[in-house]
Amino acid sequence: MSLSRIRELWSGLDTRSQVTLVGGLVAVLATFYVLYGFASRQSFATLASGLDPAKTGQAEQALAAAGLSYRVAGGGTELDVPTGQLAQARVALAEKGVLDSSGDSFKVFDKASFGATDFQQQVQYQQALQQQVAGTIEQIQGVNRASVELVLPEDRLFADSSAKATAAVLVDGGSALPAATIQGIAHLVASSVKGLRADDVSIADETGALLWPPAGAGAGGEPGAASKLQADRLYASELSAQVNALLDSTLGPGKALARVHADLDADRSTIDRVTYAKKGVPLSQQTQTETLQSKGGGAVLPAGTKTNTSGASYAGTTGSNGSSQYRNTTETTTYGVDKTVEHSVVAPGNVRKLDVALVVDRSVPAGQVASLQRSVASLVGLTPKRGDTIAVSRIDFAKPPAPGSGGGPLAALGNPLSLAKDGVLALLAVGFLVAMRRALARREREASVPSPTWLRELEGGVTVAELEAGPSAPQLPPALAESRSALREQIEEIASTSPEAIAGQVAQWMKE
């Protein structure tokens, strides 16, 4: 395409089309420039986040020594490196021992200091233990950062006089963790510290909300007042639903109603019992038996017996016939105490007392009411020795309105005031729609852009008689008539030399 043709096409466009074309070209060039900038920009990947500013400075030194580029973000708590250098950056930090919290907290004890006191060693041990536990918590998925503070009591001679160990844990990202994960963190911390129980661990999220111990728990993790009331209501509602289902299936709906009030024992108790039996248990038994038989003259005495012993009586000793029998039996039995030691933990949830209220319609026979009372008492597990009670009342239930009664045909329409209000709102809505329709129709009839003069002349129309009579043009001044004739000659010359220019201009007028 030649330059003259381009100039001709450009001159054939109106000002609005020229501005639109130039603006579109500029927008395309700007889009290509932005895309090229994004494509050529170096992409970074997060190496570590949630850092201590001191650790960030050490990491910067390690990366600068390795000749790697980096970027610090997040107010000094995040470190980014180019995506292609992520593995090299991790190796460089690992060589310098930076940002490696797994098992490094106790390296402080590798170099022993002879001048360190017991207090300094205890402080170092506590700090190392806190860092170790915090690093373990940070390995859990969903935890951005963790901070652990421990209170370790001093060892005392008597265990009763020693204080309890406690822990406070701040978890960044803990608000999005499930309850099971929070419980796991509590038991993980308790298992990592000597003498620490899970009930003595306090866990809070980044907003300061308490996550552990659970809400409603009392001292030592025992159920509090709120949880006890909730348990009582839940148990009572379950029993009430079962009893009402039984009544509806036997008497029909609307014949009887039952409500249960439950008092549960929410305290956890431990029972230690020692029982002694009346008869001992033989632990060891020893039996010794010795027998001797002999024949001969004279008296035969047991071995080792002097002859001048008098008053001694031995079983089976004879002196006349010279025969003797000797028996020596010894039995020794050691008895132990028959003791039974029982240690049992009673879980919370035992029923202290149940109160049942049963209301029956008078249309139900009295004999049937008595049977229902026994069935309900058996269903809820009523125990009179425990103090449980059941109250039965017979009253006239309110009769439900019969279908189609109470007001004739107009009753189905509802309240007249509400009907009138609905009718007024409907009329206002219809009036608003009609007004909007008229406004839109009026705006459609109005011309937003004035039509050209030649179009108005064409739409106006001319009769055949007026065309035959010829135009009745007004008389113009001589100077204006000469200029008009000269302009007409120029137009005729252009039409004869360049008819395509005239055709293009006429086509542009038709488009406008």
Side-chain angles (χ1 to χ4, degrees), residues 103-399:
D104 290 343
S105 57
F106 286 96
K107 285 186 177 180
V108 68
F109 297 101
D110 292 344
K111 298 180 180 180
S113 177
F114 292 101
T117 62
D118 293 340
F119 177 74
Q120 292 177 348
Q121 292 181 355
Q122 181 66 24
V123 171
Q124 291 178 357
Y125 169 75
Q126 183 171 346
Q127 291 178 351
L129 184 59
Q130 291 175 171
Q131 295 177 6
Q132 186 77 12
V133 176
T136 305
I137 296 175
E138 290 176 354
Q139 298 179 12
I140 299 176
Q141 184 178 2
V143 177
N144 300 327
R145 187 180 179 186
S147 176
V148 180
E149 299 293 337
L150 300 176
V151 178
L152 302 179
E154 298 180 358
D155 295 334
R156 295 183 180 272
L157 180 60
F158 300 99
D160 296 339
S161 60
S162 61
K164 296 189 302 182
T166 58
V169 182
L170 179 63
V171 180
D172 186 6
S175 57
L177 296 178
T181 305
I182 298 299
Q183 184 179 5
I185 293 176
H187 286 275
L188 185 147
V189 175
S191 302
S192 303
V193 181
K194 178 182 177 181
L196 181 61
R197 301 188 308 167
D199 298 335
D200 297 328
V201 179
S202 298
I203 302 177
D205 61 0
E206 65 276 6
T207 62
L210 184 64
L211 303 178
W212 181 270
E222 297 295 336
S227 59
K228 182 183 183 307
L229 291 177
Q230 184 178 4
D232 292 346
R233 293 173 182 173
L234 181 60
Y235 186 76
S237 62
E238 289 290 339
L239 289 181
S240 300
Q242 295 179 11
V243 174
N244 288 326
L246 174 65
L247 297 176
D248 292 341
S249 61
T250 54
L251 301 180
K255 293 294 184 179
L257 183 64
R259 289 291 182 268
V260 179
H261 175 267
D263 182 13
L264 302 181
D265 185 5
D267 298 332
R268 185 187 308 174
S269 59
T270 304
I271 300 176
D272 294 328
R273 182 182 295 109
V274 180
T275 306
Y276 295 93
K278 296 181 180 180
K279 185 178 180 180
V281 178
L283 300 179
S284 62
Q285 187 175 6
Q286 182 179 1
T287 303
Q288 179 181 359
T289 303
E290 184 177 357
T291 302
L292 177 62
Q293 296 180 358
S294 76
K295 295 181 179 181
V300 180
L301 300 178
T305 304
K306 296 181 179 181
T307 57
N308 59 355
T309 303
S310 61
S313 175
Y314 299 95
T317 302
T318 60
S320 59
N321 54 6
S323 62
S324 174
Q325 292 183 356
Y326 170 77
R327 293 192 307 270
N328 184 10
T329 301
T330 303
E331 293 185 1
T332 303
T333 304
T334 303
Y335 290 90
V337 180
D338 187 3
K339 181 176 65 174
T340 303
V341 180
E342 296 181 3
H343 177 79
S344 58
V345 178
V346 181
N350 293 331
V351 179
R352 290 178 178 174
K353 187 181 180 182
L354 287 178
D355 297 320
V356 183
L358 180 60
V359 183
V360 186
D361 191 12
R362 290 188 182 276
S363 60
V364 180
Q368 196 171 3
V369 172
S371 301
L372 286 175
Q373 181 179 354
R374 291 191 296 269
S375 300
V376 171
S378 177
L379 176 62
V380 300
L382 213 64
T383 306
K385 295 181 179 180
R386 193 173 53 194
D388 298 348
T389 61
I390 180 171
V392 181
S393 301
R394 296 182 62 195
I395 61 176
D396 293 329
F397 280 18
K399 303 299 181 183

Side-chain angles (χ1 to χ4, degrees), residues 51-64 70 72 76-77 79 93 98-99:
L51 301 176
D52 190 3
K55 290 288 186 180
T56 305
Q58 298 176 6
E60 290 180 2
Q61 296 177 2
L63 294 177
Y70 60 89
V72 180
T77 61
L79 195 62
L93 295 182
V98 183
L99 303 182

